[in-house]
Amino acid sequence: LGYISMGINVKRITQTLKSVVSDKIMKFAVLDKDFDVVLSSDGFDEIGAVKSNLLKYKDSKKYDSIVVDGKNYSIKHSKNYPFYFVVGVNEDDVNQEFWSQFLPKISNTLYLTIFFLILLYFFRNKLLKPVMNLSDVTHKISRKDFSVLVPSSDIYEINVLADSIREVKYFLKQEEKEKEKPQNKNKDN
């Protein structure tokens, strides 16, 4: 009955592992206490090399992870059952998967960055600079410097604003001249 129960649990573990690790990047194997393969994922070609490395360290019990052909494999021992779980990642596949997903995203980010830089340049040169120039002109006019020229723009709305500033400048200039006339008349008398 114990072997049947263990067999059912191994079958459940197999199904769970295969459903969780359905991609080709991650590989796993379940080994018994003698490091014989009970089950493994498809394409786990390095299991023989992993097994021979485990046999070297069998007596020391110091094998949380091992490296085979530059690939890392984690080993966990089941406390309830006499099994070892070996999980590894194919780094070439991980790198390929990373670049196949990362490269399109980085290129899209680069395109968006370039687009926003162009948009920022346009906004700064075509909108912000003329408005800032008009702001400087209105400051000078408010200090009664009527010699300043009001710049024009290619943008209709900014041109309308510039025309309004010119009108205000003209009326303020006229008002200032009228204020000076009575003072001149008083000096003559």
Side-chain angles (χ1 to χ4, degrees), residues 83-111:
F83 295 113
Y84 295 91
F85 297 95
V86 179
V87 179
V89 177
N90 187 342
E91 291 179 17
D92 295 335
D93 290 341
V94 170
N95 288 335
Q96 183 179 2
E97 184 75 18
F98 174 77
W99 285 110
S100 70
Q101 290 184 13
F102 179 72
L103 195 58
K105 289 180 182 174
I106 193 76
S107 64
N108 288 342
T109 303
L110 185 63
Y111 294 144

mmCIF file of all heavy atoms in Angstrom, residues 83-111:
data_model
loop_
_atom_site.group_PDB
_atom_site.id
_atom_site.type_symbol
_atom_site.label_atom_id
_atom_site.label_comp_id
_atom_site.label_asym_id
_atom_site.label_seq_id
_atom_site.Cartn_x
_atom_site.Cartn_y
_atom_site.Cartn_z
ATOM 1 N N PHE A 83 13.526 10.994 -2.530
ATOM 2 C CA PHE A 83 13.702 11.567 -3.870
ATOM 3 C C PHE A 83 14.523 12.846 -3.806
ATOM 4 O O PHE A 83 14.511 13.570 -2.817
ATOM 5 C CB PHE A 83 12.347 11.897 -4.519
ATOM 6 C CG PHE A 83 11.505 10.696 -4.795
ATOM 7 C CD1 PHE A 83 10.319 10.499 -4.114
ATOM 8 C CD2 PHE A 83 11.896 9.756 -5.734
ATOM 9 C CE1 PHE A 83 9.534 9.402 -4.368
ATOM 10 C CE2 PHE A 83 11.118 8.648 -5.987
ATOM 11 C CZ PHE A 83 9.935 8.462 -5.299
ATOM 12 N N TYR A 84 15.204 13.096 -4.912
ATOM 13 C CA TYR A 84 15.932 14.337 -5.121
ATOM 14 C C TYR A 84 15.307 15.036 -6.315
ATOM 15 O O TYR A 84 15.050 14.413 -7.343
ATOM 16 C CB TYR A 84 17.418 14.061 -5.401
ATOM 17 C CG TYR A 84 18.142 13.444 -4.237
ATOM 18 C CD1 TYR A 84 18.233 12.063 -4.094
ATOM 19 C CD2 TYR A 84 18.733 14.258 -3.280
ATOM 20 C CE1 TYR A 84 18.899 11.500 -3.022
ATOM 21 C CE2 TYR A 84 19.406 13.687 -2.193
ATOM 22 C CZ TYR A 84 19.476 12.317 -2.083
ATOM 23 O OH TYR A 84 20.132 11.767 -1.017
ATOM 24 N N PHE A 85 15.088 16.329 -6.169
ATOM 25 C CA PHE A 85 14.526 17.127 -7.261
ATOM 26 C C PHE A 85 15.638 17.996 -7.834
ATOM 27 O O PHE A 85 16.300 18.736 -7.104
ATOM 28 C CB PHE A 85 13.377 18.010 -6.753
ATOM 29 C CG PHE A 85 12.223 17.214 -6.225
ATOM 30 C CD1 PHE A 85 12.116 16.932 -4.867
ATOM 31 C CD2 PHE A 85 11.263 16.731 -7.078
ATOM 32 C CE1 PHE A 85 11.057 16.197 -4.384
ATOM 33 C CE2 PHE A 85 10.189 15.992 -6.605
ATOM 34 C CZ PHE A 85 10.089 15.722 -5.252
ATOM 35 N N VAL A 86 15.842 17.857 -9.120
ATOM 36 C CA VAL A 86 16.876 18.620 -9.813
ATOM 37 C C VAL A 86 16.172 19.581 -10.771
ATOM 38 O O VAL A 86 15.359 19.163 -11.597
ATOM 39 C CB VAL A 86 17.817 17.690 -10.611
ATOM 40 C CG1 VAL A 86 18.875 18.498 -11.338
ATOM 41 C CG2 VAL A 86 18.443 16.651 -9.706
ATOM 42 N N VAL A 87 16.471 20.860 -10.631
ATOM 43 C CA VAL A 87 15.864 21.878 -11.493
ATOM 44 C C VAL A 87 16.986 22.715 -12.078
ATOM 45 O O VAL A 87 17.874 23.178 -11.367
ATOM 46 C CB VAL A 87 14.893 22.776 -10.696
ATOM 47 C CG1 VAL A 87 14.286 23.831 -11.597
ATOM 48 C CG2 VAL A 87 13.812 21.947 -10.032
ATOM 49 N N GLY A 88 16.929 22.900 -13.368
ATOM 50 C CA GLY A 88 17.940 23.704 -14.049
ATOM 51 C C GLY A 88 17.323 24.554 -15.135
ATOM 52 O O GLY A 88 16.208 24.313 -15.583
ATOM 53 N N VAL A 89 18.077 25.542 -15.542
ATOM 54 C CA VAL A 89 17.622 26.464 -16.574
ATOM 55 C C VAL A 89 18.648 26.459 -17.691
ATOM 56 O O VAL A 89 19.852 26.565 -17.443
ATOM 57 C CB VAL A 89 17.467 27.887 -15.992
ATOM 58 C CG1 VAL A 89 17.079 28.865 -17.061
ATOM 59 C CG2 VAL A 89 16.451 27.901 -14.866
ATOM 60 N N ASN A 90 18.155 26.354 -18.910
ATOM 61 C CA ASN A 90 19.028 26.447 -20.064
ATOM 62 C C ASN A 90 19.289 27.930 -20.321
ATOM 63 O O ASN A 90 18.413 28.649 -20.792
ATOM 64 C CB ASN A 90 18.372 25.779 -21.276
ATOM 65 C CG ASN A 90 19.307 25.711 -22.454
ATOM 66 O OD1 ASN A 90 20.298 26.426 -22.516
ATOM 67 N ND2 ASN A 90 18.983 24.852 -23.399
ATOM 68 N N GLU A 91 20.498 28.391 -19.999
ATOM 69 C CA GLU A 91 20.806 29.815 -20.071
ATOM 70 C C GLU A 91 20.762 30.351 -21.495
ATOM 71 O O GLU A 91 20.398 31.496 -21.718
ATOM 72 C CB GLU A 91 22.167 30.080 -19.434
ATOM 73 C CG GLU A 91 22.136 29.881 -17.932
ATOM 74 C CD GLU A 91 23.481 30.106 -17.281
ATOM 75 O OE1 GLU A 91 24.359 30.726 -17.912
ATOM 76 O OE2 GLU A 91 23.642 29.662 -16.137
ATOM 77 N N ASP A 92 21.119 29.511 -22.473
ATOM 78 C CA ASP A 92 21.030 29.963 -23.865
ATOM 79 C C ASP A 92 19.586 30.272 -24.235
ATOM 80 O O ASP A 92 19.300 31.282 -24.881
ATOM 81 C CB ASP A 92 21.596 28.898 -24.812
ATOM 82 C CG ASP A 92 23.088 28.677 -24.604
ATOM 83 O OD1 ASP A 92 23.761 29.615 -24.121
ATOM 84 O OD2 ASP A 92 23.569 27.570 -24.915
ATOM 85 N N ASP A 93 18.676 29.404 -23.810
ATOM 86 C CA ASP A 93 17.262 29.644 -24.082
ATOM 87 C C ASP A 93 16.753 30.859 -23.317
ATOM 88 O O ASP A 93 15.946 31.630 -23.826
ATOM 89 C CB ASP A 93 16.423 28.416 -23.714
ATOM 90 C CG ASP A 93 16.667 27.245 -24.652
ATOM 91 O OD1 ASP A 93 17.183 27.475 -25.766
ATOM 92 O OD2 ASP A 93 16.338 26.104 -24.270
ATOM 93 N N VAL A 94 17.232 31.025 -22.088
ATOM 94 C CA VAL A 94 16.824 32.195 -21.303
ATOM 95 C C VAL A 94 17.309 33.468 -21.987
ATOM 96 O O VAL A 94 16.549 34.429 -22.129
ATOM 97 C CB VAL A 94 17.375 32.119 -19.857
ATOM 98 C CG1 VAL A 94 17.172 33.432 -19.124
ATOM 99 C CG2 VAL A 94 16.722 30.980 -19.107
ATOM 100 N N ASN A 95 18.565 33.470 -22.421
ATOM 101 C CA ASN A 95 19.096 34.648 -23.121
ATOM 102 C C ASN A 95 18.330 34.923 -24.402
ATOM 103 O O ASN A 95 18.010 36.066 -24.704
ATOM 104 C CB ASN A 95 20.587 34.467 -23.419
ATOM 105 C CG ASN A 95 21.430 34.573 -22.174
ATOM 106 O OD1 ASN A 95 21.030 35.199 -21.199
ATOM 107 N ND2 ASN A 95 22.594 33.955 -22.195
ATOM 108 N N GLN A 96 18.055 33.869 -25.155
ATOM 109 C CA GLN A 96 17.311 34.033 -26.401
ATOM 110 C C GLN A 96 15.907 34.562 -26.109
ATOM 111 O O GLN A 96 15.425 35.471 -26.780
ATOM 112 C CB GLN A 96 17.239 32.707 -27.152
ATOM 113 C CG GLN A 96 16.546 32.812 -28.487
ATOM 114 C CD GLN A 96 16.525 31.469 -29.202
ATOM 115 O OE1 GLN A 96 16.985 30.469 -28.677
ATOM 116 N NE2 GLN A 96 15.973 31.462 -30.396
ATOM 117 N N GLU A 97 15.255 34.009 -25.112
ATOM 118 C CA GLU A 97 13.909 34.466 -24.731
ATOM 119 C C GLU A 97 13.948 35.910 -24.245
ATOM 120 O O GLU A 97 13.087 36.715 -24.583
ATOM 121 C CB GLU A 97 13.342 33.558 -23.630
ATOM 122 C CG GLU A 97 11.940 33.864 -23.239
ATOM 123 C CD GLU A 97 10.927 33.397 -24.267
ATOM 124 O OE1 GLU A 97 11.246 32.551 -25.106
ATOM 125 O OE2 GLU A 97 9.792 33.905 -24.216
ATOM 126 N N PHE A 98 14.961 36.229 -23.451
ATOM 127 C CA PHE A 98 15.113 37.593 -22.940
ATOM 128 C C PHE A 98 15.244 38.585 -24.087
ATOM 129 O O PHE A 98 14.546 39.593 -24.139
ATOM 130 C CB PHE A 98 16.330 37.672 -22.020
ATOM 131 C CG PHE A 98 16.653 39.059 -21.567
ATOM 132 C CD1 PHE A 98 15.906 39.661 -20.568
ATOM 133 C CD2 PHE A 98 17.699 39.766 -22.139
ATOM 134 C CE1 PHE A 98 16.201 40.952 -20.139
ATOM 135 C CE2 PHE A 98 18.000 41.045 -21.714
ATOM 136 C CZ PHE A 98 17.253 41.638 -20.720
ATOM 137 N N TRP A 99 16.152 38.298 -25.016
ATOM 138 C CA TRP A 99 16.380 39.234 -26.114
ATOM 139 C C TRP A 99 15.207 39.277 -27.079
ATOM 140 O O TRP A 99 14.940 40.321 -27.671
ATOM 141 C CB TRP A 99 17.684 38.911 -26.836
ATOM 142 C CG TRP A 99 18.856 39.334 -26.017
ATOM 143 C CD1 TRP A 99 19.747 38.530 -25.386
ATOM 144 C CD2 TRP A 99 19.244 40.670 -25.692
ATOM 145 N NE1 TRP A 99 20.659 39.277 -24.682
ATOM 146 C CE2 TRP A 99 20.379 40.606 -24.859
ATOM 147 C CE3 TRP A 99 18.739 41.927 -26.022
ATOM 148 C CZ2 TRP A 99 21.011 41.736 -24.366
ATOM 149 C CZ3 TRP A 99 19.378 43.052 -25.516
ATOM 150 C CH2 TRP A 99 20.493 42.949 -24.707
ATOM 151 N N SER A 100 14.510 38.167 -27.240
ATOM 152 C CA SER A 100 13.356 38.196 -28.146
ATOM 153 C C SER A 100 12.214 39.017 -27.555
ATOM 154 O O SER A 100 11.409 39.573 -28.292
ATOM 155 C CB SER A 100 12.883 36.777 -28.470
ATOM 156 O OG SER A 100 12.285 36.183 -27.333
ATOM 157 N N GLN A 101 12.143 39.121 -26.240
ATOM 158 C CA GLN A 101 11.107 39.940 -25.619
ATOM 159 C C GLN A 101 11.619 41.340 -25.288
ATOM 160 O O GLN A 101 10.867 42.306 -25.349
ATOM 161 C CB GLN A 101 10.591 39.267 -24.346
ATOM 162 C CG GLN A 101 9.792 38.028 -24.647
ATOM 163 C CD GLN A 101 9.204 37.417 -23.389
ATOM 164 O OE1 GLN A 101 9.194 38.033 -22.338
ATOM 165 N NE2 GLN A 101 8.714 36.205 -23.509
ATOM 166 N N PHE A 102 12.883 41.451 -24.949
ATOM 167 C CA PHE A 102 13.438 42.728 -24.521
ATOM 168 C C PHE A 102 13.704 43.665 -25.692
ATOM 169 O O PHE A 102 13.425 44.856 -25.612
ATOM 170 C CB PHE A 102 14.728 42.479 -23.737
ATOM 171 C CG PHE A 102 15.402 43.726 -23.252
ATOM 172 C CD1 PHE A 102 14.854 44.455 -22.222
ATOM 173 C CD2 PHE A 102 16.589 44.157 -23.829
ATOM 174 C CE1 PHE A 102 15.469 45.602 -21.763
ATOM 175 C CE2 PHE A 102 17.209 45.295 -23.379
ATOM 176 C CZ PHE A 102 16.654 46.017 -22.348
ATOM 177 N N LEU A 103 14.248 43.134 -26.780
ATOM 178 C CA LEU A 103 14.631 43.967 -27.909
ATOM 179 C C LEU A 103 13.452 44.728 -28.508
ATOM 180 O O LEU A 103 13.565 45.937 -28.738
ATOM 181 C CB LEU A 103 15.352 43.122 -28.965
ATOM 182 C CG LEU A 103 16.118 43.881 -30.017
ATOM 183 C CD1 LEU A 103 17.172 44.774 -29.365
ATOM 184 C CD2 LEU A 103 16.787 42.927 -30.972
ATOM 185 N N PRO A 104 12.299 44.076 -28.758
ATOM 186 C CA PRO A 104 11.170 44.870 -29.272
ATOM 187 C C PRO A 104 10.714 45.942 -28.288
ATOM 188 O O PRO A 104 10.358 47.046 -28.692
ATOM 189 C CB PRO A 104 10.065 43.835 -29.490
ATOM 190 C CG PRO A 104 10.755 42.539 -29.613
ATOM 191 C CD PRO A 104 11.983 42.653 -28.769
ATOM 192 N N LYS A 105 10.756 45.644 -27.007
ATOM 193 C CA LYS A 105 10.315 46.633 -26.013
ATOM 194 C C LYS A 105 11.291 47.794 -25.930
ATOM 195 O O LYS A 105 10.876 48.941 -25.815
ATOM 196 C CB LYS A 105 10.139 45.968 -24.655
ATOM 197 C CG LYS A 105 8.935 45.058 -24.628
ATOM 198 C CD LYS A 105 8.751 44.386 -23.307
ATOM 199 C CE LYS A 105 7.543 43.445 -23.413
ATOM 200 N NZ LYS A 105 7.345 42.649 -22.260
ATOM 201 N N ILE A 106 12.584 47.505 -25.987
ATOM 202 C CA ILE A 106 13.564 48.582 -25.922
ATOM 203 C C ILE A 106 13.504 49.425 -27.188
ATOM 204 O O ILE A 106 13.653 50.643 -27.127
ATOM 205 C CB ILE A 106 15.001 48.062 -25.645
ATOM 206 C CG1 ILE A 106 15.953 49.199 -25.259
ATOM 207 C CG2 ILE A 106 15.584 47.369 -26.833
ATOM 208 C CD1 ILE A 106 15.762 49.685 -23.882
ATOM 209 N N SER A 107 13.263 48.802 -28.333
ATOM 210 C CA SER A 107 13.154 49.594 -29.567
ATOM 211 C C SER A 107 11.899 50.458 -29.539
ATOM 212 O O SER A 107 11.934 51.610 -29.967
ATOM 213 C CB SER A 107 13.186 48.692 -30.802
ATOM 214 O OG SER A 107 12.066 47.842 -30.821
ATOM 215 N N ASN A 108 10.796 49.931 -29.009
ATOM 216 C CA ASN A 108 9.586 50.751 -28.880
ATOM 217 C C ASN A 108 9.827 51.914 -27.925
ATOM 218 O O ASN A 108 9.385 53.035 -28.188
ATOM 219 C CB ASN A 108 8.411 49.907 -28.387
ATOM 220 C CG ASN A 108 7.907 48.961 -29.442
ATOM 221 O OD1 ASN A 108 8.186 49.128 -30.626
ATOM 222 N ND2 ASN A 108 7.158 47.959 -29.031
ATOM 223 N N THR A 109 10.520 51.652 -26.846
ATOM 224 C CA THR A 109 10.837 52.712 -25.895
ATOM 225 C C THR A 109 11.730 53.761 -26.548
ATOM 226 O O THR A 109 11.533 54.961 -26.350
ATOM 227 C CB THR A 109 11.529 52.125 -24.655
ATOM 228 O OG1 THR A 109 10.687 51.129 -24.082
ATOM 229 C CG2 THR A 109 11.835 53.191 -23.635
ATOM 230 N N LEU A 110 12.679 53.323 -27.338
ATOM 231 C CA LEU A 110 13.565 54.244 -28.036
ATOM 232 C C LEU A 110 12.775 55.096 -29.027
ATOM 233 O O LEU A 110 12.971 56.311 -29.102
ATOM 234 C CB LEU A 110 14.674 53.464 -28.739
ATOM 235 C CG LEU A 110 15.748 54.283 -29.429
ATOM 236 C CD1 LEU A 110 16.515 55.111 -28.398
ATOM 237 C CD2 LEU A 110 16.706 53.366 -30.164
ATOM 238 N N TYR A 111 11.868 54.480 -29.792
ATOM 239 C CA TYR A 111 11.039 55.235 -30.733
ATOM 240 C C TYR A 111 10.181 56.266 -30.000
ATOM 241 O O TYR A 111 10.062 57.410 -30.447
ATOM 242 C CB TYR A 111 10.131 54.303 -31.537
ATOM 243 C CG TYR A 111 10.868 53.371 -32.471
ATOM 244 C CD1 TYR A 111 10.410 52.080 -32.685
ATOM 245 C CD2 TYR A 111 12.028 53.757 -33.136
ATOM 246 C CE1 TYR A 111 11.078 51.211 -33.532
ATOM 247 C CE2 TYR A 111 12.700 52.896 -33.974
ATOM 248 C CZ TYR A 111 12.222 51.629 -34.172
ATOM 249 O OH TYR A 111 12.874 50.779 -35.000
#
